Amino acid sequence: MSVMKLISCLFLCTLSVCCNASSHRSILREVSDIDRSGTDRDYAVELNATSFDAVLKDTPATFAIVEFFAHWCPACRNYKPQYEKVARLFNGPDAVHPGIILLTRVDCAEKINTKLCDKFSVGHYPMLFWGAPPKFVGGSWEPKQKNSDIQVIDNARTADQLLTWINKQTSSSFGLDDQKFQNEHLSSNVSDPQQIARGIYDVEEATSLAFDIILENKMIKPETRGSLLKFLQLLTAHHPSRRCRKGAGDLLVSFDDLYPTESWSSHKQEDDKSLVKNFQICGKEVPRGYWMFCRGSKNETRGFSCGLWVLLHSLSVRIEDGESQFTFTTICDFVHNFFVCEECRQHFYKMCSSVSSPFNKARDFALWLWSSHNKVNERLRKEEASLGTGDPKFPKTVWPPKQLCSSCYLDHDQTSNKIEWNQDEVYNALRNYYGKTLVSLYKEKGIAGTEGAEGAALEDLTVGTNAVVVPVGAALAIAVASCAFGALACYWRSQQKSRKYFHHLHSLKNI
């Protein structure tokens, strides 16, 4: 076995074999449409002692409500319809106000939950608690406890009373009759850099949807195979989400099993589509069915296109100098071959074709992508203004605004709207915004700082903005120490099947 293949195996091992993905089901997609008895769906997520910490740790929601109940309790049965009226607003892919509050239930009458209910001193049914989801993880509550991060919800015996309590806590005006995409609660303050922190979930959503679109439209063909493999390589090394990196790596390794070069009929693609979807490139919980940072005030605005732009920018600030040209051609080819909006595809490819010399620095590519995005926004702003199709709450604008980075502006002619940029400052702003700040939500939720082996794996969810590719020597040392069995399995597999593209995976620097 060649050294190059060994390094390839070990590199993939560190990114996928040793990454322990959570096995729990989607926190917001596990709600059934109709149960077997034919009654209305349950929106509140049923938890038990096994899933409690995992679900509350992983939810994108800012707040959580946990209802402790007993299935034999008549008052609990009577309260359930009231609780479900509120859960409908916040839970599930069809939620009116997604990503804000996660409503859950724990049945204390089940023996598996006895210790969990004791930890929260459940003394009557139903009993409701409110707090930030991470505060419930490994947490507890006592009646005489002072300054607790977890609160008991009193006087919430009806849906109206519970929603009134929620509105008071969140300074909101949610209503039981709210319908889909009533987005008056969205913040459009672009000067707040912390908004992008919630974009990490949208990057995962956009990644998953992009591959769904490719499969649905049968876009994997002999002439597009190479560009897709390169894009998967890029995601495996640099996607800001660990679970997406792992999924991309898994799909990359198994790609020629699913799409062998000798069989390219549409029937073959149809047969293999379900197999590819089983990879769930960003994990079982994605797609969630809604947007957070990229949600528009209208159903047809922002969303996927916004999430895809955030993904591209996040990739641009994670590469190293030696990868800049590879990243440029990979992204250009991916958009050209797999983006289904024809006009957008042609405009982007025209911008790619106008580049006359290769990129030698990661900084230069990140700035080119930034400048291109501003040009796209300027063109769309004029079109949307003339047609009245823009999002009034999120108009297309130049990024970064002065409120976000005043030092990025050297001069701004208000008459001609021409801007002289300090590109060093712009690059720093890009790295902070789409690098550190983008993934900071994970740290705020206490995931990255978890102690122990699990914490070490979860810490990998956030990738650094400088050295984002593990050096070959470091990858080799880490893999030997922690993934010996994975390397041996990879070695055995490589002996069985000679993958022509496999030698590219050890480091994008060598491409």
Side-chain angles (χ1 to χ4, degrees):
M1 181 180 183
S2 66
V3 174
M4 187 173 293
K5 282 188 176 182
L6 175 60
I7 294 174
S8 300
C9 296
L10 297 175
F11 175 73
L12 279 180
C13 176
T14 59
L15 287 177
S16 59
V17 175
C18 296
C19 294
N20 296 319
S22 61
S23 60
H24 61 278
R25 296 178 60 195
S26 166
I27 51 178
L28 296 180
R29 289 171 58 84
E30 69 177 4
V31 229
S32 329
D33 287 343
I34 297 178
D35 65 24
R36 293 181 180 179
S37 64
T39 58
D40 291 340
R41 69 170 72 176
D42 286 348
Y43 293 92
V45 179
E46 192 94 12
L47 302 179
N48 58 37
T50 302
S51 62
F52 189 83
D53 283 358
V55 169
L56 289 166
K57 180 169 59 177
D58 189 62
T59 176
T62 306
F63 303 102
I65 296 177
V66 179
E67 178 202 6
F68 290 98
F69 74 104
H71 62 264
W72 49 258
C73 167
C76 298
R77 290 197 296 268
N78 293 335
Y79 182 63
K80 182 179 178 182
Q82 300 295 317
Y83 193 61
E84 291 293 336
K85 286 181 182 179
V86 179
R88 175 192 70 84
L89 300 174
F90 303 103
N91 284 14
D94 297 324
V96 183
H97 305 291
I100 301 173
I101 305 169
L102 176 68
L103 282 86
T104 67
R105 310 175 82 229
V106 175
D107 187 355
C108 293
E110 298 289 343
K111 289 186 178 180
I112 190 177
N113 298 324
T114 300
K115 291 184 179 180
L116 177 60
C117 296
D118 287 345
K119 285 177 62 178
F120 286 89
S121 305
V122 177
H124 62 269
Y125 305 127
M127 192 171 183
L128 275 64
F129 292 88
W130 165 276
K135 301 302 180 181
F136 286 97
V137 178
S140 62
W141 181 86
E142 296 179 5
K144 297 181 180 180
Q145 187 175 353
K146 295 182 179 180
N147 301 321
S148 175
D149 293 317
I150 298 174
Q151 304 178 52
V152 174
I153 302 177
D154 295 319
N155 192 28
R157 301 300 299 163
T158 67
D160 284 315
Q161 289 174 333
L162 177 57
L163 199 56
T164 298
W165 196 95
I166 290 172
N167 284 332
K168 184 177 179 180
Q169 295 295 315
T170 60
S171 301
S172 302
S173 56
F174 301 120
L176 291 176
D177 57 349
D178 286 354
Q179 299 300 315
K180 188 71 172 174
F181 278 94
Q182 296 293 319
N183 285 357
E184 70 278 6
H185 304 283
L186 291 176
S187 171
S188 57
N189 182 11
V190 293
S191 64
D192 180 9
Q194 292 304 315
Q195 285 194 56
I196 191 64
R198 295 164 72 86
I200 186 66
Y201 298 111
D202 291 351
V203 172
E204 294 175 335
E205 193 82 1
T207 304
S208 180
L209 289 179
F211 279 87
D212 281 349
I213 291 171
I214 290 171
L215 295 175
E216 290 297 330
N217 290 276
K218 301 187 177 84
M219 302 174 78
I220 303 177
K221 303 174 182 178
E223 61 271 22
T224 63
R225 175 188 174 98
S227 63
L228 183 58
L229 290 175
K230 288 181 180 179
F231 193 69
L232 285 170
Q233 290 176 358
L234 189 60
L235 297 186
T236 300
H238 297 303
H239 199 288
S241 165
R242 180 182 67 86
R243 53 186 157 213
C244 294
R245 294 200 303 277
K246 179 185 182 301
D250 290 344
L251 181 55
L252 186 58
V253 169
S254 303
F255 192 86
D256 60 352
D257 291 334
L258 297 169
Y259 290 95
T261 53
E262 63 272 12
S263 178
W264 288 96
S265 68
S266 59
H267 297 293
K268 175 65 176 174
Q269 289 198 42
E270 189 66 33
D271 293 340
D272 287 343
K273 185 169 65 175
S274 60
L275 296 176
V276 177
K277 280 197 171 183
N278 287 337
F279 276 96
Q280 295 172 297
I281 193 166
C282 289
K284 293 182 180 180
E285 62 272 22
V286 182
R288 299 175 182 87
Y290 63 88
W291 305 95
M292 297 182 70
F293 171 79
C294 286
R295 190 182 187 194
S297 61
K298 298 179 180 180
N299 190 17
E300 64 273 12
T301 60
R302 305 188 83 208
F304 176 63
S305 59
C306 167
L308 195 60
W309 272 115
V310 176
L311 170 62
L312 299 184
H313 285 299
S314 70
L315 294 172
S316 76
V317 299
R318 285 171 165 77
I319 61 170
E320 293 183 341
D321 289 344
E323 305 165 288
S324 52
Q325 183 62 22
F326 170 83
T327 305
F328 167 71
T329 57
T330 297
I331 288 177
C332 287
D333 288 346
F334 181 81
V335 173
H336 183 64
N337 288 313
F338 300 110
F339 198 67
V340 291
C341 171
E342 180 64 20
E343 184 176 350
C344 305
R345 186 178 69 86
Q346 292 292 347
H347 277 291
F348 194 86
Y349 192 71
K350 185 177 180 180
M351 292 189 297
C352 291
S353 301
S354 66
V355 176
S356 56
S357 56
F359 292 102
N360 296 318
K361 299 287 185 181
R363 171 187 180 276
D364 296 337
F365 170 67
L367 289 173
W368 174 84
L369 188 66
W370 156 77
S371 176
S372 298
H373 194 176
N374 274 340
K375 290 177 182 177
V376 169
N377 278 350
E378 178 64 18
R379 175 177 60 82
L380 292 178
R381 183 186 64 80
K382 294 178 181 178
E383 292 181 3
E384 290 173 352
S386 63
L387 298 173
T389 56
D391 190 325
K393 193 158 188 178
F394 298 94
K396 298 290 189 298
T397 185
V398 171
W399 193 95
K402 279 189 176 180
Q403 306 97 302
L404 189 62
C405 181
S406 59
S407 60
C408 293
Y409 290 71
L410 292 175
D411 185 54
H412 187 183
D413 189 333
Q414 299 290 345
T415 305
S416 62
N417 201 29
K418 289 185 178 180
I419 302 172
E420 183 181 354
W421 297 98
N422 182 332
Q423 294 198 346
D424 288 335
E425 289 298 311
V426 170
Y427 183 53
N428 287 334
L430 286 167
R431 294 174 66 206
N432 288 327
Y433 195 74
Y434 291 106
K436 296 175 182 178
T437 310
L438 177 64
V439 297
S440 65
L441 190 62
Y442 283 118
K443 294 181 179 180
E444 290 173 8
K445 294 170 83 66
I447 295 179
T450 307
E451 297 294 329
E454 182 183 3
L458 289 168
E459 188 174 10
D460 189 42
L461 230 87
T462 60
V463 193
T465 56
N466 280 328
V468 291
V469 175
V470 178
V472 173
L476 187 61
I478 295 171
V480 168
S482 58
C483 298
F485 285 104
L488 290 174
C490 186
Y491 169 75
W492 178 86
R493 187 171 176 79
S494 68
Q495 292 295 92
Q496 300 299 315
K497 298 179 181 180
S498 177
R499 304 178 187 279
K500 295 181 180 179
Y501 61 88
F502 204 73
H503 68 281
H504 292 295
L505 296 176
H506 69 284
S507 172
L508 295 179
K509 297 180 194 176
N510 294 334
I511 296 178

